[in-house]
DNA sequence: TCGGCGATTAGCT
DNA sequence: GCTAATCGCCGAG
């Protein structure tokens, strides 16, 4: 299990990073409770020119974290309920980010179940960005934290996802973004039951 | 200070 | 498949 180096996040091609993150392991260890999971679904948000990205609204108190250098966590609340976990990428001020939409539990599934309030452990535990936030214990108060720390980081355990299994589609829930909503920026493992949304392959 | 709205989800029908 | 729940953020006034 190798922690991804800071340099991984500084690459300026956010779409390439979103694809490379499939198969990597997301690890959190809050209050001594370690949970980890293999990433199976991501979405790229390409800076201020991407109308689906919060960065398109400019730098505000909420979005300022997006403008930091890569390797930073951007966590925000959606619909008043869901903690959405994003990874800031690229050099400072580019405002690129990758949203983690789904993962497969590797360690600490009992803790994930407890955090989610669910009764049975099934694939909904980490399916969808809101559920990922819950299962891993993310909270908006952690936005702006480094992803190379010991409490919150990404790792490579040697696993490589067969490229033939990677599917690409438009992003989910961004219809308001006009033409940008059609960009092929969503990547997922087509064989994983943990992937959210429709299973149609567009590309 | 106020009103509209969103990178969603769960629970019914 | 459809819809209510739910609240912080942001821009307008």
């Amino acid at each position: 299990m190798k922690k991804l180096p800071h340099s991984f996040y500084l690459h300026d091609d956010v779409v390439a990073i979103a694809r490379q993150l499939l198969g990597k392991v997301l690890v959190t260890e809050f209050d001594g409770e370690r949970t980890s999971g293999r990433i199976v679904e991501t979405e790229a948000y390409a800076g201020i020119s991407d109308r689906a990205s919060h960065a398109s609204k400019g730098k505000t108190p909420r979005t300022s974290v997006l403008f930091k250098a890569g390797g930073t966590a951007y966590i925000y609340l959606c619909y008043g309920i869901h903690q959405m976990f994003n990874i800031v990428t690229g050099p400072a001020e580019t405002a690129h980010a990758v949203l983690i939409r789904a993962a497969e539990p590797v360690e600490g599934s009992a803790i994930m179940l407890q955090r989610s309030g669910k009764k049975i452990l099934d694939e909904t535990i980490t399916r969808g960005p809101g559920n990922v936030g819950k299962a891993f214990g993310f909270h908006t108060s952690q936005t702006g934290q480094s992803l190379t720390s010991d409490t919150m980081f990404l790792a490579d355990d040697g696993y490589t996802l067969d490229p033939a299994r990677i599917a690409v589609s438009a992003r989910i829930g961004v219809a308001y973004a006009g033409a940008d909503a059609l960009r092929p920026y969503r990547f997922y493992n087509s064989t994983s039951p943990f992937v959210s949304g429709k299973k149609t392959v567009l590309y």
Side-chain angles (χ1 to χ4, degrees):
Chain A
M1 188 86 102
K2 271 194 318 219
K3 196 181 288 189
L4 295 185
H6 194 231
S7 59
F8 176 88
Y9 304 99
L10 297 179
H11 201 273
D12 60 4
D13 186 345
V14 65
V15 177
I17 292 176
R19 179 187 284 267
Q20 287 165 19
L21 282 171
L22 290 180
K24 296 293 186 292
V25 180
L26 171 63
V27 184
T28 63
E29 189 162 350
F30 302 129
D31 300 323
E33 297 191 304
R34 183 185 176 97
T35 47
S36 69
R38 193 176 306 288
I39 295 168
V40 296
E41 184 181 1
T42 63
E43 281 182 2
Y45 285 84
I48 56 174
S49 62
D50 180 354
R51 287 173 49 209
S53 170
H54 291 167
S56 65
K57 297 199 169 69
K59 202 185 282 190
T60 66
R62 177 210 206 181
T63 64
S64 65
V65 167
L66 271 174
F67 293 81
K68 291 192 175 199
T72 304
Y74 171 52
I75 304 170
Y76 72 95
L77 192 66
C78 184
Y79 290 91
I81 310 169
H82 308 293
Q83 315 281 335
M84 311 286 272
F85 172 67
N86 299 252
I87 298 164
V88 177
T89 70
E93 304 303 323
T94 56
H96 290 315
V98 176
L99 170 67
I100 303 302
R101 292 191 54 91
E104 296 179 352
V106 174
E107 298 169 273
S109 58
I111 296 166
M112 292 181 179
L113 191 65
Q114 190 184 346
R115 285 176 178 154
S116 72
K118 294 180 191 290
K119 292 187 178 62
I120 52 167
L121 183 66
D122 61 15
E123 66 275 3
T124 66
I125 189 74
T126 47
R127 179 161 70 188
N131 289 330
V132 167
K134 252 195 243 174
F136 285 86
F138 286 118
H139 188 268
T140 53
S141 63
Q142 295 153 347
T143 196
Q145 288 190 22
S146 167
L147 288 170
T148 49
S149 71
D150 287 329
T151 55
M152 194 192 286
F153 62 93
L154 287 135
D156 185 340
D157 66 353
Y159 173 93
T160 307
L161 178 63
D162 177 356
R165 294 183 173 195
I166 297 178
V168 185
S169 82
R171 290 168 292 185
I172 291 178
V174 295
Y176 63 88
D180 286 338
L182 302 176
R183 296 197 198 190
Y185 283 1
R186 174 171 173 251
F187 300 93
Y188 60 97
N189 174 346
S190 61
T191 59
S192 174
F194 289 83
V195 170
S196 66
K198 297 193 181 76
K199 302 297 187 291
T200 46
V201 181
L202 298 183
Y203 292 84

